[in-house]
């Protein structure tokens, strides 16, 4: 679940009068908050007066937000001494009056951090660390020039990291339309890549050292290690960079250097092919070679490839509902969320199975817990395989909770939903239900579950709405009574479910 924003910092100047002691000044500094608190009433005016502001959108109940808060405050204090000072701010996106801001910035989880440039005219996602030193380092880099000049081989050695993607423009002079377009590209993509420029290609560690430019050289730690571009239309060049920045086969293991590429793999819009195998298996080299051949064949054909080590992929196994006895396996997830699975695959069968998928000959795979043999508790258990019958085709008014077993707020809600269900025990037209959203696939395009718990209400006539009221017995019952559709109620009674 992806996704996060931070806002601003604020510089206060203390006018110390008379004989204020050093101790009291220190106490005042320690008690001062350096993170600026913004809301709907002052947000636009404050942001409009700054060329660079970092904004955190948070919720008071969010555990990750609470963990971030002291680190964010420490970073704000350090950055207030920067030259020029850098502002960090925060917005309580859970507060009703600020929800219009959360909607404007497409806030779907907490904390979400955004970088706002030029009075808010340019908005970028913060993609840096979440501890104080890392925040300071990342924000300083983001607030400086988008591209750094490389003047010496020492500059190049320090700048071009062998584990990261680095983009360097070679220009005979730092002016003209092509250089301006390169700078515009650097501004657009600076949150994702580091940019530099030089007039001497001999300073660069790889590639033709005799070129005088203009040329854009992308250095990367995989595949061909570097690639040159002579396209200077900003949109076209951005597309070339994004394509070149994804490995032919992304490696998913415990090496932290691979993690940025794994994130980029999952964030790209292509269908995603994922081969999970034990990297210590005797056949691993064969799997890797055959899989790479297939990836080369379909490169640029809206299909991206990842190979994952079983040991590092437990989170993916839980998400997709996979089992280790299915290893080696390949799974493809399309952009609409459909999944296609081939368990216990052999190296020589990878190419033929991917071709069958591309030809539309593979049936989708659905993750589902078993349908319970007994479902007699007040809150009915729904799984993916029973969703159609129990929710869509029930002919009843159904309040369904999407939950996660580990979610503390879901555990707090559970006894309340039990009470709601008991109150409707003699009402055959209403069903209170729940589904473990971590163990079951959710119907596509109907329910948007960004956090837990999420509750939806489906009326007997089929109208679906997101429940956004208070999580109390009285409020939930009141909502059901106001939104139920008695005229359309039909189907089996409670004892038949």
């Amino acid at each position: 679940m992806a996704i996060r924003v931070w806002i601003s910092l604020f510089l206060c100047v203390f006018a110390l009068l008379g004989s204020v002691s050093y101790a009291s000044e220190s106490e005042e500094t320690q008690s001062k908050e350096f993170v600026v608190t913004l809301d709907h009433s002052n947000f636009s005016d404050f942001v409009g007066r700054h060329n660079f502001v970092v904004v955190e959108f948070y919720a008071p109940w969010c555990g990750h937000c609470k963990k971030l808060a002291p680190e964010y405050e420490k970073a704000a204090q350090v950055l207030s001494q920067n030259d020029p000072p850098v502002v960090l701010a925060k917005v309580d996106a859970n507060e009703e009056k600020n929800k219009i801001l959360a909607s404007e910035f497409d806030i779907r989880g907490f904390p979400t951090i955004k970088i706002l440039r030029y009075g808010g005219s340019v908005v970028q996602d913060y993609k840096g660390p979440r501890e104080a030193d890392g925040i300071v380092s990342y924000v300083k880099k983001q607030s400086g020039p988008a591209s750094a000049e490389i003047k010496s081989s020492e500059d190049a050695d320090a700048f071009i990291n062998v584990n990261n993607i680095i983009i360097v423009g070679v220009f005979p002079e730092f002016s003209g339309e092509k250089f301006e377009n390169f700078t515009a590209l650097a501004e657009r993509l600076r949150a994702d890549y580091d940019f530099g420029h030089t007039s001497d290609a001999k300073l660069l560690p790889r590639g033709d050292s005799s070129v005088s430019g203009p040329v854009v050289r992308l250095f990367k730690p995989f595949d061909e290690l570097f690639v040159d571009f002579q396209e200077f239309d900003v949109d076209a060049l951005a597309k070339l960079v994004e394509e070149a920045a994804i490995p032919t086969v992304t490696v998913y293991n415990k090496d932290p250097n691979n993690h940025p590429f794994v994130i980029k793999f999952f964030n790209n819009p292509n269908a995603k092919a994922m081969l999970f195998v034990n990297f210590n298996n005797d056949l691993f080299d064969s799997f890797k070679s055959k899989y790479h051949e297939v990836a080369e064949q379909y490169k640029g054909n809206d299909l991206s490839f990842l190979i994952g080590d079983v040991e590092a992929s437990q989170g993916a196994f839980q998400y997709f509902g996979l089992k280790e006895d299915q290893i080696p396996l390949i799974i493809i997830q399309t952009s609409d969320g459909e999944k296609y699975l081939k368990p216990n695959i052999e190296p020589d069968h990878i190419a033929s199975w991917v071709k069958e998928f591309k030809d539309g000959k593979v049936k989708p795979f659905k993750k589902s817990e078993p349908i319970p043999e007994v479902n007699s508790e007040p809150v009915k258990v729904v799984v993916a395989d029973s969703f159609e019958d129990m929710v869509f085709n029930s002919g009843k008014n159904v309040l369904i909770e999407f939950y996660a077993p580990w979610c503390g707020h879901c555990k707090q809600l559970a006894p309340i939903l039990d009470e709601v269900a008991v109150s409707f025990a003699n009402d055959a037209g209403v069903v209170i239900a729940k589904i473990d959203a971590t163990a079951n696939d959710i119907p596509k395009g109907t329910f948007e579950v960004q956090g837990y718990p999420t509750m939806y209400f489906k009326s007997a006539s089929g109208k679906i709405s997101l429940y956004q009221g208070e999580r109390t017995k009285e409020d939930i019952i009141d909502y059901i009574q106001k939104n139920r559709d008695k005229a359309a109620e039909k189907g089996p009674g409670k004892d038949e479910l």
Side-chain angles (χ1 to χ4, degrees):
M1 302 191 149
I3 330 216
R4 298 167 161 93
V5 183
W6 308 1
I7 262 191
S8 95
L9 138 310
F10 119 97
L11 179 66
C12 293
V13 177
F14 288 94
L16 300 177
L17 302 175
S19 58
V20 178
S21 71
Y22 178 82
S24 20
E25 179 182 352
S26 175
E27 289 170 7
E28 189 171 3
T29 300
Q30 289 175 6
S31 65
K32 178 175 63 173
E33 288 188 359
F34 288 84
V35 176
V36 179
T37 299
L38 300 178
D39 60 27
H40 74 294
S41 67
N42 62 1
F43 185 92
S44 296
D45 178 65
F46 184 86
V47 170
R49 291 187 281 108
H50 292 81
N51 278 331
F52 186 91
V53 181
V54 181
V55 182
E56 175 201 5
F57 293 86
Y58 74 97
W61 47 259
C62 165
H64 294 294
C65 302
K66 293 175 183 177
K67 183 178 179 181
L68 172 64
E71 299 297 318
Y72 197 55
E73 177 64 27
K74 289 176 191 173
Q77 183 172 357
V78 173
L79 289 167
S80 70
Q81 306 302 315
N82 196 61
D83 186 17
V86 179
V87 180
L88 303 188
K90 63 183 179 182
V91 172
D92 180 352
N94 192 60
E95 193 171 352
E96 191 63 38
K97 65 182 181 181
N98 294 330
K99 286 186 177 178
I100 190 169
L101 284 174
S103 176
E104 179 184 345
F105 288 93
D106 194 27
I107 306 305
R108 299 190 177 190
F110 302 114
T112 296
I113 304 168
K114 300 283 183 182
I115 293 174
L116 281 62
R117 302 179 187 274
Y118 313 117
S121 61
V122 175
V123 180
Q124 295 171 321
D125 291 331
Y126 173 94
K127 299 181 180 180
R130 302 214 169 183
E131 41 76 29
D133 290 344
I135 294 169
V136 170
S137 177
Y138 183 88
V139 168
K140 280 185 176 180
K141 183 178 290 187
Q142 290 298 311
S143 63
S147 179
E149 184 179 357
I150 298 173
K151 300 178 180 180
S152 65
S153 55
E154 288 77 17
D155 287 347
D157 291 342
F159 184 70
I160 301 174
N161 186 312
V162 294
N163 294 318
N164 297 331
I165 291 174
I166 308 293
I167 301 165
V168 179
V170 180
F171 297 92
E173 54 186 10
F174 302 144
S175 61
E177 182 181 0
K178 291 182 177 180
F179 180 73
E180 290 173 1
N181 285 0
F182 174 78
T183 302
L185 176 77
E187 282 285 1
R188 180 189 296 187
L189 300 181
R190 64 184 297 165
D192 297 303
Y193 311 105
D194 289 333
F195 285 82
H197 55 274
T198 185
S199 58
D200 187 357
K202 294 184 180 67
L203 301 177
L204 305 180
R206 296 188 291 278
D208 185 355
S209 61
S210 66
V211 299
S212 58
V215 66
V216 176
R217 182 164 296 168
L218 183 148
F219 296 92
K220 52 184 178 177
F222 51 80
D223 297 342
E224 67 271 49
L225 298 183
F226 77 93
V227 59
D228 284 351
F229 305 116
Q230 292 181 308
E231 170 65 68
F232 285 90
D233 174 82
V234 177
D235 291 336
L237 183 54
K239 187 173 186 296
L240 290 171
V241 166
E242 295 289 15
E243 289 173 352
I246 298 176
T248 302
V249 175
T250 299
V251 176
Y252 185 9
N253 59 10
K254 292 187 175 181
D255 184 350
N257 292 319
N258 290 329
H259 292 175
F261 307 115
V262 172
I263 293 170
K264 184 172 285 292
F265 171 87
F266 283 109
N267 283 341
N268 87 67
N270 290 347
K272 297 167 182 63
M274 293 158 277
L275 173 65
F276 294 104
V277 63
N278 186 337
F279 279 20
N280 295 320
N281 189 299
D282 292 340
L283 291 175
F284 173 68
D285 288 340
S286 179
F287 273 108
K288 184 178 178 181
S289 174
K290 295 291 185 181
Y291 193 59
H292 201 278
E293 289 175 10
V294 175
E296 286 282 5
Q297 178 183 348
Y298 290 97
K299 192 173 184 178
N301 195 20
D302 299 324
L303 183 59
S304 299
F305 290 80
L306 173 144
I307 186 168
D309 184 15
V310 175
E311 188 179 354
S313 305
Q314 295 307 306
F317 270 55
Q318 181 179 357
Y319 175 79
F320 290 114
L322 308 175
K323 298 179 176 61
E324 290 202 23
D325 61 9
Q326 296 173 310
I327 298 298
L329 69 83
I330 183 170
I331 185 168
I332 295 178
Q333 183 175 35
T334 58
S335 56
D336 62 1
E338 292 283 11
K339 295 182 282 290
Y340 302 82
L341 175 68
K342 177 63 176 176
N344 307 121
I345 197 167
E346 298 178 11
D348 290 336
H349 295 167
I350 294 173
S352 59
W353 187 82
V354 173
K355 184 177 186 305
E356 287 179 11
F357 161 78
K358 293 294 288 184
D359 292 342
K361 296 179 180 179
V362 181
K363 292 182 179 180
F365 161 78
K366 180 164 64 176
K367 177 176 68 172
S368 178
E369 293 180 294
I371 297 176
E373 295 181 9
V374 178
N375 204 356
S376 57
E377 294 299 317
V379 177
K380 302 305 175 186
V381 175
V382 176
V383 298
D385 286 340
S386 65
F387 204 102
E388 204 64 38
D389 290 338
M390 292 187 66
V391 180
F392 289 134
N393 299 332
S394 68
K396 298 179 182 296
N397 300 284
V398 181
L399 180 83
I400 182 162
E401 176 205 13
F402 297 85
Y403 76 94
W406 42 259
C407 164
H409 295 290
C410 302
K411 293 174 182 176
Q412 292 174 8
L413 179 62
I416 297 171
L417 283 186
D418 281 339
E419 292 179 14
V420 172
V422 168
S423 72
F424 286 104
N426 297 319
D427 188 336
V430 175
V431 174
I432 310 300
K434 64 181 180 180
I435 182 170
D436 181 349
T438 69
N440 296 275
D441 281 337
I442 298 169
K444 312 289 185 299
T446 307
F447 304 98
E448 186 173 352
V449 179
Q450 297 291 338
Y452 305 114
T454 294
M455 288 186 283
Y456 275 89
F457 183 75
K458 192 228 66 160
S459 72
S461 60
K463 182 181 178 182
I464 295 174
S465 56
L466 174 66
Y467 178 80
Q468 295 179 296
E470 295 296 324
R471 295 171 186 166
T472 66
K473 173 186 172 181
E474 293 74 20
D475 283 305
I476 296 172
I477 290 175
D478 183 59
Y479 181 89
I480 293 172
Q481 296 290 23
K482 288 179 178 177
N483 290 275
R484 68 182 297 173
D485 187 349
K486 291 184 179 180
E489 291 172 11
K490 58 181 177 61
K494 289 264 184 183
D495 58 342
E496 296 178 72
L497 286 174

